[in-house]
Amino acid sequence: MNPGMRRPDPAVRHTVEGMRLTRFGHSCVRFDTGEGVIVIDPGVFSDPAALDGADAVFITHQHPDHCNDPELRRLLEDRPEVRLYGPSSLSEVLGSLPFTTVSAGDAIPAAGTEVKVIGRHHAQIHADIPVVPNVGYLVDGVFHPGDALTVPDEPVRLLLAPIAAPWLKLAEAVDYIRAVDAPMVHPIHDAILSDTGLTMVDRMLANLVGDSYERIADGHTATI
């Protein structure tokens, strides 16, 4: 385990009243806890403004739609105090850029709350493509799985559900949402869909998983 981390205590709850969640495109979300700002997966399909004022940045895996290397370099050059976290394989794309390695079971204090690390591997795209490490992040009951269908072993109050990817089909997204069984579901990972495709997939998912499914438009904020 890395310095500054600890194993999570299931008896301890880190609840932030009125935490704000903002979407910044594709798989990138920003949490404003009132004590700081956490950003997850600022990738090349996301608005770089997500990083403005960030205190901690968490990357699920090394793929560019989740990890925008040039923007992260600019961020740390301007504000070296910002903490960057992700699996050890990030070094393959970040090189000498400093970051803290995390793995399943870690719990990281950040922005007045705790970020729990859940999961180990990216979903398989094809047998001919190597599977890379992928971790998900649970922030005050809000789960971002990255590119995986990991079901946490504790309750999730809001699932950020991937809905469109080369490694995913609609039936798998539906089964995953049902397996996590969160009372709220907001879709992410959808930049590869056209406007028509997005409308169709949203309609089908809402019909199949029920009223828990609700889209946050890019640039919009929901209070959790």
Side-chain angles (χ1 to χ4, degrees):
M1 185 178 300
N2 296 294
M5 300 182 196
R6 59 181 179 77
R7 294 296 177 186
D9 182 348
V12 176
R13 300 294 296 175
H14 295 262
T15 301
V16 177
E17 295 296 333
M19 182 170 68
R20 290 180 293 152
L21 171 67
T22 305
R23 274 204 66 182
F24 279 86
H26 194 52
S27 201
C28 180
V29 294
R30 173 183 169 117
F31 299 88
D32 187 335
T33 69
E35 296 187 35
V37 172
I38 295 168
V39 178
I40 299 179
D41 278 4
V44 297
F45 299 153
S46 309
D47 185 347
L51 295 170
D52 293 347
D55 297 294
V57 180
F58 291 81
I59 307 296
T60 62
H61 65 287
Q62 66 205 61
H63 292 158
D65 57 325
H66 298 255
C67 179
N68 188 334
D69 175 17
E71 289 297 334
L72 292 173
R73 290 183 182 279
R74 277 191 281 271
L75 173 67
L76 294 184
E77 286 172 1
D78 293 342
R79 299 179 56 225
E81 73 278 9
V82 176
R83 300 297 301 273
L84 177 61
Y85 301 91
S88 60
S89 55
L90 284 188
S91 61
E92 297 176 19
V93 294
L94 297 182
S96 61
L97 197 67
F99 73 97
T100 301
T101 298
V102 297
S103 58
D106 288 336
I108 303 98
T113 187
E114 181 180 75
V115 180
K116 298 179 181 180
V117 184
I118 299 171
R120 300 181 187 278
H121 303 295
H122 193 289
Q124 186 180 65
I125 301 170
H126 188 273
D128 292 348
I129 300 175
V131 173
V132 300
N134 176 99
V135 295
Y137 298 112
L138 184 69
V139 184
D140 191 28
V142 181
F143 186 53
H144 188 310
D147 282 8
L149 300 176
T150 306
V151 178
D153 59 2
E154 60 183 280
V156 173
R157 62 174 178 149
L158 168 59
L159 173 64
L160 299 170
I163 64 167
W167 51 270
L168 181 68
K169 62 182 180 181
L170 183 69
E172 293 171 329
V174 172
D175 290 346
Y176 179 58
I177 292 169
R178 290 176 176 174
V180 175
D181 194 27
M184 293 186 290
V185 179
H186 294 329
I188 59 169
H189 209 288
D190 51 16
I192 66 173
L193 293 174
S194 66
D195 290 343
T196 300
L198 195 64
T199 300
M200 179 184 70
V201 170
D202 275 349
R203 183 185 303 117
M204 294 182 70
L205 285 170
N207 286 338
L208 288 165
V209 303
D211 294 338
S212 63
Y213 185 88
E214 182 179 359
R215 171 168 294 280
I216 302 175
D218 288 349
H220 289 226
T221 300
T223 299
I224 308 302

